[in-house]
Amino acid sequence: MGGGIAQTCAQSGYETIVREVNQLLLDRGLARIYSAWDMMASKGKLTQGQVDENRSRLHGTLTIEDFADCDLVIEAVIENMEEKLRLFPTLDRILQPGALLLTNTSSLNVTQMGAVTKRPDKVCGLHFFNPAPVMKLVEIVRTISTSDETIESVRQFALSLGKTPVLAKDTAGFIVNFLLIPYLLAAIRMLENGMASRDDIDAAMKLGCGYPMGPFTLLDYVGLDTTMWAAEAIYDEYKDPLYAPPPLLRRMVQSGMYGKKSGKGFYEYQ
Ligand code: CAA
């Protein structure tokens, strides 16, 4: 997700710094972005000059202090609150006082992230959708402390990325995952209960409802771990059984079957 967001920012004209936790992941992430731009050039969507400009605007780093002069930072680490609560005070200390601090969380509590900084008025959610360079939506998530000025700046920023922003309150799941997660979990329960096969459920929703992907293809695409964390966060907030991760999802995540990114989920990938 972080790579897709960095790609989107750089190709929209922003000087962009992207940080990874080690050189291997950084090299892999940058290579994926470069190949997306090459693919866009081969389809005539970018000129070679634009590809070169995009590349020169995108800077990879392993050092968090390199964010010191950024006007806006989008956190996109794993969906783990402890990780986020460790990172936010560090970023708060490094960034200039006027900088905005955004999170790409899909369902975790943004208010809590703002509360561990000295700039809660400048903290909000900016939730992208997979694949970030392609999907038109972003959710702007407003906490009880986010200022009007921050929301307006983030709205303008989202528009400058070519996205359509929607505004959501900081309640678990925001808009999309509050609706999407029960659908995905229901598909897993159908499979667990033997009501239909994986392929038939996917074909039914693709061909019957015109969805671009069936639920199992989408689960693998989003990541089973990410889906489980999102479901747990919403379940924690509302205790609604609709959001309780089904046993099969838990077992698959425990077995390292994360979907496309790990090579195996409901489908297998090379
Ligand atoms: N950069 C630029 N362009 C890209 C790209 C990238 N990284 N990746 C794909 N594209 C472009 C392709 O070049 C292609 O462009 P053209 O149509 O002009 O040729 C277009 O996107 C479509 O890609 P493909 O032809 O490769 O594949 P497709 O037509 O099957 O579409 C898809 C792929 C866009 C992913 C489509 O299947 C889809 O919309 N799936 C549903 C995705 C979805 O629901 N995402 C949200 C998940 S929820 C989430 O992310 C949030 C969360 O918190 C869980």
Side-chain angles (χ1 to χ4, degrees):
M1 228 18 208
I5 296 169
Q7 178 188 334
T8 307
C9 294
Q11 72 192 32
S12 303
Y14 291 101
E15 282 296 321
T16 305
I17 303 175
V18 62
R19 177 181 176 242
E20 253 300 358
V21 291
N22 64 49
Q23 194 64 47
L24 181 72
L25 289 176
L26 183 61
D27 291 344
R28 224 185 260 167
L30 290 173
R32 211 175 300 133
I33 297 174
Y34 296 157
S35 83
W37 284 332
D38 290 342
M39 181 263 294
M40 288 167 80
S42 73
K43 288 184 176 178
K45 289 182 181 174
L46 290 178
T47 64
Q48 191 51 50
Q50 287 169 319
V51 171
D52 296 342
E53 282 170 24
N54 290 348
R55 274 182 175 239
S56 70
R57 274 194 292 265
L58 181 64
H59 314 280
T61 186
L62 300 178
T63 314
I64 199 163
E65 282 74 18
D66 287 348
F67 290 140
D69 293 324
C70 290
D71 298 317
L72 182 154
V73 172
I74 306 170
E75 169 278 311
V77 304
I78 58 164
E79 287 289 71
N80 176 299
M81 199 54 160
E82 282 172 22
E83 287 286 333
K84 312 240 185 211
L85 295 182
R86 252 197 304 273
L87 189 58
F88 268 64
T90 309
L91 285 168
D92 188 38
R93 202 174 55 245
I94 291 166
L95 298 179
Q96 302 298 321
L100 302 182
L101 190 38
L102 278 40
T103 172
N104 177 52
T105 185
S106 64
S107 30
L108 295 178
N109 185 326
V110 183
T111 309
Q112 216 181 332
M113 297 177 215
V116 295
T117 72
K118 295 195 175 68
R119 65 182 83 206
D121 58 314
K122 296 190 174 60
V123 173
C124 72
L126 185 64
H127 182 211
F128 290 77
F129 294 83
N130 240 321
V134 177
M135 304 308 278
K136 287 287 171 217
L137 186 76
V138 287
E139 291 176 315
I140 299 178
V141 182
R142 177 174 202 151
T143 77
I144 46 175
S145 308
T146 314
S147 69
D148 290 344
E149 293 75 21
T150 298
I151 294 297
E152 185 49 25
S153 300
V154 173
R155 204 179 68 82
Q156 292 300 336
F157 174 65
L159 292 171
S160 75
L161 298 179
K163 302 298 182 194
T164 300
V166 291
L167 189 62
K169 278 193 194 168
D170 182 27
T171 52
F174 317 131
I175 298 172
V176 171
N177 277 337
F178 194 79
L179 294 170
L180 180 64
I181 295 290
Y183 157 70
L184 295 176
L185 300 188
I188 299 174
R189 288 189 200 103
M190 286 182 79
L191 189 67
E192 275 180 330
N193 296 338
M195 292 160 76
S197 70
R198 173 199 71 181
D199 290 353
D200 282 356
I201 296 171
D202 262 4
M205 295 313 290
K206 211 175 151 185
L207 304 178
C209 293
Y211 289 7
M213 293 173 164
F216 295 108
T217 311
L218 185 56
L219 276 156
D220 278 359
Y221 191 68
V222 166
L224 305 194
D225 49 346
T226 306
T227 305
M228 191 181 80
W229 293 327
E232 282 175 341
I234 309 175
Y235 181 76
D236 277 354
E237 184 121 304
Y238 297 106
K239 305 290 183 283
D240 183 334
L242 266 182
Y243 296 92
L248 177 61
L249 178 62
R250 259 188 214 292
R251 300 293 181 285
M252 291 178 75
V253 173
Q254 284 160 352
S255 308
M257 296 179 196
Y258 300 144
K260 207 168 170 200
K261 64 185 163 190
S262 72
K264 191 165 167 40
F266 288 98
Y267 294 87
E268 290 197 20
Y269 305 84
Q270 297 189 345

